[in-house]
Amino acid sequence: MSTSTTTDSAARARDLLGVSGLTNRALAAWLHGLPGVDQVGCEARAAGLKTRSIKTDSKRWAIDLAISMIDLTTLEGADTPGKVRGLATRALVPDPSDPSTPSPAAVCVYGDMVAVAKETLGESGIGVAAVATAFPSGRASLEVKLADTREAVAAGADEIDMVIDRGAFLAGDYLTVYDQIVAVKDACTRADGSAARLKVIMETGELVTYDNVRRASWLSMLAGGDFIKTSTGKISPAATLPVTVVMLEAVRDWHALIGEMVGVKPAGGIRTSKDAISFLVAVHEIAGEDWLDNTWFRFGASSLLNDLILQRQRMSLGVYSGADYIADDAPSAY
């Protein structure tokens, strides 16, 4: 582990918490001192965001933006090199009938498939994200989690999507969760000093309460996560708009406090253009325009791309092409 990286993170955390040493007691006091989430108010706000309508020109822009924000994903035990090549090729040419269609931000795969995706994508500029740290359970020793991360980075991963130890978090062992994020962040550093970006998956469906989502968001940012992410896509509920509202408030408030932007990635269960646009409306109204960019907001999805392309074609042609004319290679979990 890089001593300087760990020292910098710990020093910032101590300064922010106003303590001389990081302990579970200090982290618990800080996290439980955050304002509570009004469940009724949060869900009412999310419901209101879903009712917003946008004009035709804005909708066309929003659809293109949403496509550019997708992490096109396959995370199945039956993934093969051929399937990953097919998904990466789909990312390169999302709609063969319209070369103006933007490409997704990244292709997200298991670590052992990073090299295959990287080779297929070449110099396209589309990133490769790898899930790591014993995804999706997170039930492994720290040594295994770090080896998992380092192997993916060495294979060429541009981004690492790690899972937190939800058991430790729910038991109040916040220091373990913090230390593991810091260690994985350090493992994202390459030999040349550059680093893969780290997305921290909180698995919000297992955190039970919005207060826990807020606390996990702040803990992940304190430890140096570049993104906070809702879900693995393997647990229901996965990404919901109310949970994403809480996370967007967290990154907004973190930026106001620290001056540092952190990205947000809802993943799992977002399948329609209407859903995606509701999330973009939430980004605009809660976090702000700076987050309306795939550097700072992503959708973890695959089937979403099909619906966005169908809607895009309808706006261009005036009629639906029909789902039979769109590639259907989306894994069921997404």
Side-chain angles (χ1 to χ4, degrees):
M1 183 182 297
S2 167
T3 303
S4 61
T5 301
T6 306
T7 302
D8 291 346
S9 176
R12 184 177 73 169
R14 289 194 301 268
D15 289 346
L16 190 58
L17 272 63
V19 296
S20 59
L22 285 182
T23 63
N24 262 323
R25 184 175 180 179
L27 285 169
W30 183 67
L31 293 172
H32 287 263
L34 295 171
V37 179
D38 177 354
Q39 178 178 346
V40 173
C42 177
E43 292 175 355
R45 186 173 193 188
L49 292 168
K50 285 185 177 181
T51 67
R52 303 292 173 83
S53 60
I54 60 177
K55 296 179 181 179
T56 301
D57 287 346
S58 296
K59 185 175 181 180
R60 187 186 303 274
W61 171 81
I63 286 173
D64 278 4
L65 180 61
I67 292 172
S68 77
M69 291 174 162
I70 290 176
D71 283 357
L72 198 58
T73 302
T74 183
L75 296 171
E76 300 296 331
D79 285 344
T80 63
K83 183 176 182 180
V84 170
R85 288 189 194 97
L87 196 70
T89 300
R90 178 89 195 281
L92 291 168
V93 188
D95 182 2
S97 71
D98 187 351
S100 71
T101 306
S103 293
V107 169
C108 184
V109 295
Y110 277 109
D112 63 328
M113 291 292 173
V114 167
V116 175
K118 197 77 176 175
E119 180 183 17
T120 305
L121 293 169
E123 301 299 320
S124 64
I126 300 170
V128 175
V131 295
T133 65
F135 177 96
S137 71
R139 310 303 302 183
S141 68
L142 179 58
E143 290 75 15
V144 169
K145 292 179 179 182
L146 296 181
D148 197 16
T149 302
R150 292 186 182 114
E151 286 179 7
V153 172
D158 303 292
E159 300 167 0
I160 294 294
D161 290 29
M162 72 165 286
V163 286
I164 67 167
D165 184 334
R166 283 87 74 192
F169 180 89
L170 292 170
D173 188 2
Y174 302 127
L175 186 59
T176 289
V177 179
Y178 170 87
D179 285 342
Q180 290 195 0
I181 296 171
V182 171
V184 173
K185 170 85 170 181
D186 185 70
C188 289
T189 302
R190 306 182 185 93
D192 64 3
S194 63
R197 297 181 79 195
L198 179 63
K199 306 193 197 87
V200 181
I201 307 171
M202 302 180 294
E203 198 66 288
T204 53
E206 293 184 338
L207 297 186
V208 184
T209 69
Y210 294 133
D211 284 342
N212 274 341
V213 172
R214 175 167 285 175
R215 291 168 190 149
S217 297
W218 280 80
L219 184 60
S220 299
M221 295 186 292
L222 182 72
D226 299 302
F227 264 78
I228 50 176
K229 178 178 171 182
T230 60
S231 327
T232 62
K234 307 296 185 182
I235 298 292
S236 181
T240 68
L241 193 54
V243 158
T244 305
V245 165
V246 174
M247 292 166 61
L248 288 167
E249 290 173 344
V251 298
R252 176 200 65 196
D253 295 345
W254 178 261
H255 181 258
L257 180 66
I258 302 296
E260 176 182 270
M261 287 182 71
V262 174
V264 175
K265 179 179 173 180
I270 305 170
R271 295 185 173 88
T272 70
S273 300
K274 183 177 180 180
D275 288 341
I277 289 172
S278 294
F279 278 83
L280 294 181
V281 170
V283 173
H284 181 267
E285 295 205 4
I286 297 170
E289 290 187 9
D290 287 346
W291 273 265
L292 285 174
D293 184 284
N294 65 12
T295 303
W296 302 112
F297 193 80
R298 299 281 181 84
F299 293 106
S302 284
S303 58
L304 174 61
L305 179 60
N306 289 351
D307 194 67
L308 288 167
I309 289 176
L310 284 172
Q311 293 295 332
R312 195 176 190 274
Q313 290 177 351
R314 183 193 65 80
M315 296 184 75
S316 297
L317 304 174
V319 295
Y320 283 105
S321 298
D324 291 344
Y325 292 91
I326 301 294
D328 186 13
D329 50 8
S332 59
Y334 283 79

